[in-house]
Amino acid sequence: MSRIAYVNGRYLPHDVAAVHVEDRGFQFADAVYEVCEIRDGHLVDPTLHFERLERSLGELRIAVPMSRAAMLVVMRRVARANRVHDGSLYVQVSRGRSRRDHVFPSPAVRPTVVMTAKPVARAKGEALAETGIGVITVPENRWERVDIKSVSLLPNCLAKQAAKEAGAREAWFVDAGGFVTEGGSTNAWIVTVDGVLVTRPAEHGILRGITRTITLKVAAKLGLKVEERAFTVEEAKRAREAFVTAATTLVMPVVSIDGSPVGNGAPGTTAPALRAAFHDSTEMVAI
Ligand code: PLP
């Protein structure tokens, strides 16, 4: 089946869909993005994704390109055109196209909007969650404003590539104090030997993951104790469980860190329980 991409008001065959060479997303990573889960023909947590997208746009002073209702119409059309029942939807908004100059175009130009959707085999993710994944640790070398979901992802790409080459699935950034910030494309969590869930506060040094937000909700519903605080690599290695969260991985057990097993080296009980209960707490909008 041929894939379709949305580019600035047009639904184009994926192979020919393109932005201009002087698009600022392409030139400067002067753009923001969102990735939403699609599950059972529903867009998962669109309101939270819209809120974060609008916040990221506001932080970079890029105009909101269309209303939420209009964006939902495009999202639905992209998901349907690509026959995505389970998968993910990608949205990128750049500052737009203008002659290359580091300063913002003045007057402002129309933001570029791109959307694509791709299916995933849900069974694959579930099978992976049965065995869990490995992570490696890398020095935190990203720019400080990682709270903005911008496309400045070069350090993340390098870290995830290093993870792959080390036989792991994810890399956890570690700050100068030895504390884990987050993963290359996920938020990081541990469960202490006392059963307390620990994840770094979202104010500094991490992206406020939508999956993280929902996982906190699910944890409260399950009556689990949560501490939003930073944790070190050493603490993570001694933890009973570790896991990562993202729209693409959901709650994914981590079974090794830099080659050291977490717990007994297999998924524990907390992460699978959070994963199983996750979609009872999400907003689901038919797509
Ligand atoms: N942290 C980073 C750096 C990410 O890139 C992502 C997702 O891509 C996340 C965390 C998880 O965010 P979400 O749960 O909204 O997918």
Side-chain angles (χ1 to χ4, degrees):
M1 205 226 16
S2 56
R3 293 182 67 196
I4 300 293
Y6 172 88
V7 185
N8 285 335
R10 300 169 71 199
Y11 297 84
L12 301 167
H14 196 265
D15 280 352
V16 298
V19 295
H20 193 268
V21 288
E22 284 199 322
D23 190 276
R24 289 184 62 97
F26 181 62
Q27 292 285 351
F28 297 115
D30 188 4
V32 301
Y33 76 108
E34 282 297 320
V35 179
C36 312
E37 186 197 358
I38 298 174
R39 186 182 183 91
D40 282 335
H42 289 74
L43 192 63
V44 178
D45 285 324
T47 306
L48 291 174
H49 284 283
F50 287 140
E51 281 170 8
R52 186 172 63 182
L53 178 65
E54 289 160 13
R55 177 186 177 276
S56 296
L57 289 167
E59 290 292 304
L60 297 186
R61 290 187 281 148
I62 297 175
V64 174
M66 56 176 93
S67 66
R68 292 184 185 188
M71 194 162 276
L72 200 53
V73 168
V74 179
M75 289 169 152
R76 192 166 281 142
R77 203 161 153 193
V78 170
R80 288 187 182 173
N82 290 284
R83 299 205 204 319
V84 178
H85 191 68
D86 289 304
S88 59
L89 191 118
Y90 177 87
V91 182
Q92 186 181 136
V93 182
S94 87
R95 195 178 305 279
R97 167 190 166 181
S98 99
R99 187 176 153 150
R100 191 173 186 285
D101 185 352
H102 286 72
V103 300
F104 298 172
S106 177
V109 293
R110 187 169 52 99
T112 297
V113 182
V114 168
M115 281 192 218
T116 54
K118 66 179 179 193
V120 289
R122 235 165 82 183
K124 258 192 172 169
E126 295 311 318
L128 192 58
E130 291 290 318
T131 54
I133 61 166
V135 300
I136 62 164
T137 55
V138 292
E140 178 61 76
N141 64 351
R142 302 174 299 160
W143 76 315
E144 284 180 6
R145 297 303 311 275
V146 292
D147 58 307
I148 301 172
K149 195 160 167 65
S150 90
V151 295
S152 307
L153 292 173
L154 178 61
N156 307 55
C157 294
L158 296 178
K160 287 186 78 85
Q161 178 63 23
K164 184 178 174 191
E165 289 173 12
R169 288 278 188 144
E170 179 60 298
W172 279 1
F173 290 106
V174 181
D175 69 16
F179 292 94
V180 172
T181 53
E182 62 176 334
S185 61
T186 58
N187 289 120
W189 301 67
I190 57 170
V191 184
T192 68
V193 285
D194 303 323
V196 180
L197 262 72
V198 182
T199 194
R200 194 171 171 116
E203 283 77 43
H204 299 291
I206 69 164
L207 179 79
R208 187 184 292 275
I210 303 294
T211 319
R212 176 187 177 283
T213 300
I214 301 298
T215 301
L216 288 169
K217 232 162 107 177
V218 178
K221 272 196 191 167
L222 296 182
L224 299 170
K225 196 166 172 231
V226 179
E227 284 175 14
E228 287 190 69
R229 62 165 173 85
F231 58 86
T232 63
V233 176
E234 286 319 307
E235 188 180 3
K237 285 182 178 169
R238 287 195 311 270
R240 184 202 284 176
E241 286 180 51
F243 61 93
V244 293
T245 54
T248 46
T249 61
L250 306 177
V251 179
M252 179 59 69
V254 166
V255 293
S256 74
I257 300 171
D258 288 335
S260 306
V262 178
N264 62 4
T269 52
T270 314
L274 291 165
R275 183 180 178 92
F278 186 80
H279 288 97
D280 298 339
S281 294
T282 53
E283 180 193 18
M284 304 288 276
V285 173
I287 195 161

